[in-house]
Amino acid sequence: MTILKGNDLLSKNQCNALRGLAILSIILHNFCHWLDPKIVIIENEYNFNLSLGQRMWEYLTGGNIDMYFPVQFFSFFGHYGIAIFLFLSGFGLVRKYESERSEKSSATQFIVYQWKKLFRLMSLGLFVGLFAHAVYGGIYQTEWLKHMIAQLLMVINILHEPARYIMPGPYWFFGLMLEVYVIYRLLVYPTHNIKKKEWKWLAWFIPVALVIAAWLIQEPLINQPVLLRQWRYNAAVAMLPFAIGVLMARYGFPRIPKWSLATIALTAIVALMLVNLNFHAWLWGHLIVIAGSVSFVKLFEARKTTLQARLDTTIKPLVWTGALSSCIFVMHPIVRLPIFIDVIWKQEMELTPQFYMWLAIYIVITLLLAMGYKYYLELYPAPKLKTNSSH
């Protein structure tokens, strides 16, 4: 059995293709699910609601599929793009910081560096978003200053309902990523180079233990939606996809035939629907997303150079979008809120074909702003990781 590791497991282009899938899912979800819940089927993201899963099941199986299937699909399933980003975070951190050539830094140096990177990416978008919000007016008024400070420090996740008290709402994800970096550096990273043979098992045990801990936190909260929602704004929701990324980067994964990859990718779509019909299965939905998305991307590789060139061309739009994904994430709330939601979609009483026109405008403006934001970031030096050898 051939075990794939490193670039053989997931190349740079494949990782960017996964990012492209993830960010498109997220921005489409964040636009579509703001329509009236009577019109679109909203998601089970922070809480589990059986009636929502049943409604989606009836839509898919009851002969109700119509021209608005993409709207319903991304409204309900699009949030799972977050799981792909978390998986890639675990995979990327291991690849970048656990090789013998990686420079060593202290935990404090590492965490400060990651905070600076996140702040550099977030800051301009946040202030532009707050300005746009002030111009158009909105709902994020409760203890505004406290929540803005918490957002800038990236600790807003510990507050109640972080997405509801600061604009742009999705920026709570920066706080989640900082938590992930802290957990990685303090708990996961120290296990990668254990010298004593009798303790090497910790390299797989700690990531697995984090998954189990996250599950144990959420499992008893089936009838406590407020607590469950709060936990899922924080690292509890991140540990399953993140730990899978860590384990795959450390230990690799067997080569799978193309027909098996296609089967997994197709089965994942059905399985993801089914887990939304049971709370206990729903907690493991991110595992299905990772299996399906990675299998899909792996279908676009070949051993023959000429065939690989054609496959690369096919997947190139996803790769390009993925390379721009961080800037897209920062910019899309500025387009989505308040310009479209507060000004346009709160006036819509029904779903019409015109929705697709506004959706296309939203995507185009977001991509243009993201390209501009990437250029802006390139004008300013990125923070550098201080290492133990730094002077």
Side-chain angles (χ1 to χ4, degrees):
M1 179 183 296
T2 303
I3 300 296
L4 301 177
K5 291 186 176 183
N7 286 330
D8 292 330
L9 178 57
L10 281 175
S11 67
K12 181 179 180 180
N13 276 350
Q14 288 171 335
C15 287
N16 275 334
L18 284 170
R19 291 186 184 95
L21 277 176
I23 196 62
L24 288 174
S25 296
I26 290 167
I27 67 171
L28 291 172
H29 167 74
N30 283 343
F31 192 78
C32 294
H33 82 151
W34 270 82
L35 288 169
D36 190 330
K38 295 178 183 178
I39 298 174
V40 298
I41 307 169
I42 59 174
E43 72 284 359
N44 286 323
E45 183 174 3
Y46 306 108
N47 276 308
F48 177 81
N49 187 326
L50 178 59
S51 65
L52 298 177
Q54 290 174 332
R55 186 180 170 194
M56 190 65 185
W57 178 258
E58 291 169 4
Y59 175 77
L60 293 174
T61 62
N64 300 315
I65 294 179
D66 53 19
M67 67 177 293
Y68 302 110
F69 169 74
V71 179
Q72 303 292 7
F73 181 88
F74 285 107
S75 174
F76 191 80
F77 292 111
H79 67 93
Y80 281 110
I82 291 291
I84 301 175
F85 277 123
L86 292 169
F87 163 77
L88 290 171
S89 295
F91 188 84
L93 285 170
V94 171
R95 294 288 309 280
K96 185 172 183 180
Y97 295 109
E98 296 187 9
S99 71
E100 293 182 359
R101 297 186 301 273
S102 300
E103 292 188 271
K104 309 306 176 185
S105 60
S106 69
T108 300
Q109 289 169 333
F110 178 86
I111 293 168
V112 169
Y113 166 70
Q114 300 296 344
W115 181 89
K116 288 180 178 178
K117 279 179 57 181
L118 291 170
F119 185 84
R120 174 176 176 267
L121 177 63
M122 176 190 72
S123 54
L124 179 63
L126 178 63
F127 287 122
V128 171
L130 289 170
F131 175 77
H133 183 267
V135 170
Y136 285 94
I139 60 174
Y140 302 90
Q141 304 298 327
T142 306
E143 298 182 299
W144 179 86
L145 181 59
K146 181 182 81 172
H147 289 94
M148 185 181 72
I149 293 172
Q151 179 67 67
L152 292 172
L153 294 174
M154 280 170 268
V155 296
I156 195 167
N157 302 59
I158 64 175
L159 303 180
H160 178 64
E161 296 276 13
R164 294 184 180 274
Y165 294 117
I166 190 72
M167 187 282 172
Y171 280 21
W172 63 266
F173 185 71
F174 285 98
L176 173 63
M177 284 309 304
L178 186 61
E179 292 177 358
V180 167
Y181 289 135
V182 171
I183 291 172
Y184 170 75
R185 186 57 182 83
L186 297 183
L187 296 178
V188 179
Y189 175 81
T191 66
H192 83 281
N193 62 349
I194 296 175
K195 304 301 182 184
K196 293 185 177 180
K197 189 175 182 180
E198 59 269 26
W199 292 104
K200 285 186 176 294
W201 56 273
L202 286 171
W204 63 262
F205 177 80
I206 294 298
V208 171
L210 289 171
V211 172
I212 295 173
W215 169 69
L216 289 174
I217 288 169
Q218 297 177 83
E219 181 68 29
L221 302 179
I222 182 171
N223 295 316
Q224 300 184 58
V226 175
L227 276 176
L228 179 61
R229 186 179 183 88
Q230 187 62 43
W231 275 109
R232 288 179 69 83
Y233 271 119
N234 289 276
V237 74
M239 285 303 102
L240 173 60
F242 174 75
I244 293 172
V246 169
L247 292 170
M248 284 186 63
R250 284 183 174 179
Y251 299 104
F253 202 82
R255 184 186 296 277
I256 298 177
K258 285 289 184 72
W259 66 267
S260 297
L261 292 171
T263 301
I264 293 170
L266 292 172
T267 303
I269 298 174
V270 179
L272 198 59
M273 179 65 255
L274 294 177
V275 300
N276 275 274
L277 298 174
N278 179 274
F279 172 81
H280 308 289
W282 169 73
L283 294 176
W284 299 93
H286 287 179
L287 178 61
I288 296 170
V289 173
I290 293 166
S293 58
V294 171
S295 296
F296 171 75
V297 168
K298 292 290 286 183
L299 287 171
F300 291 87
E301 68 176 13
R303 298 185 182 183
K304 293 183 178 180
T305 305
T306 53
L307 178 57
Q308 185 62 62
R310 290 199 293 270
L311 291 174
D312 285 343
T313 301
T314 303
I315 207 172
K316 190 174 182 179
L318 277 181
V319 175
W320 179 86
T321 305
L324 198 62
S325 60
S326 59
C327 294
I328 293 173
F329 182 81
V330 173
M331 288 291 106
H332 87 274
I334 298 170
V335 184
R336 177 180 65 93
L337 269 177
I339 299 173
F340 284 103
I341 303 305
D342 286 350
V343 176
I344 297 171
W345 286 115
K346 284 186 177 178
Q347 302 173 14
E348 292 289 331
M349 301 306 293
E350 60 183 9
L351 191 58
T352 65
Q354 188 181 22
F355 178 88
Y356 286 112
M357 179 190 74
W358 290 113
L359 186 61
I361 293 172
Y362 162 69
I363 293 172
V364 170
I365 293 176
T366 297
L367 291 177
L368 290 173
L369 286 176
M371 288 188 287
Y373 196 51
K374 184 177 182 181
Y375 175 76
Y376 162 81
L377 290 176
E378 289 173 353
L379 297 177
Y380 298 93
K384 294 184 179 180
L385 176 63
K386 293 184 178 180
T387 64
N388 294 333
S389 59
S390 300
H391 297 289

